[in-house]
Amino acid sequence: MTESREDHVGAEFEPPQGPLESTVARIQAEVLGIDRMGRSDSFYDFGGTSLQAIRICTRIERETGRQAQPEWLFEFDVLSEFVSFLSAPGGEAAP
């Protein structure tokens, strides 16, 4: 069952920007069981677990071809920061 984002965060929804951020937001929302993920939302706001981080990163790789490591999601837990890291030159190398 999908929960409302607003049940977890009080901040105003800020929609994802660009195709990669939109894709990652959709993947995170689906795995975390929420209706939508905003660009300033944190993986931790929705009770993200290590197993969910693995699922998210696996789906990102499968759908976009970009390597994503769960530890990157733990370090860059806000959607926009995580996608910025994935998009940066060398962002696919360990931090």
Side-chain angles (χ1 to χ4, degrees):
M1 182 172 168
T2 302
E3 295 181 17
S4 172
R5 170 196 172 272
E6 284 69 23
D7 290 343
H8 298 273
V9 293
E12 186 173 326
F13 178 74
E14 190 177 350
Q17 296 179 356
L20 181 59
E21 196 168 285
S22 295
T23 298
V24 173
R26 176 184 50 79
I27 291 169
Q28 284 194 19
E30 289 171 0
V31 171
L32 294 170
I34 54 173
D35 60 346
R36 61 188 180 164
M37 180 89 171
R39 68 184 326 257
S40 60
D41 293 340
S42 168
F43 171 75
Y44 298 118
D45 289 340
F46 308 100
T49 65
S50 57
L51 182 56
Q52 288 171 319
I54 292 167
R55 289 179 180 152
I56 289 167
C57 291
T58 298
R59 287 189 54 189
I60 289 169
E61 287 185 45
R62 185 174 54 228
E63 293 187 31
T64 70
R66 291 180 180 269
Q67 181 184 15
Q69 298 294 324
E71 55 268 18
W72 300 347
L73 185 54
F74 297 138
E75 184 173 350
F76 303 101
D77 57 290
V78 173
L79 176 68
S80 61
E81 294 172 3
F82 181 61
V83 173
S84 289
F85 181 76
L86 289 177
S87 300
E92 295 177 352

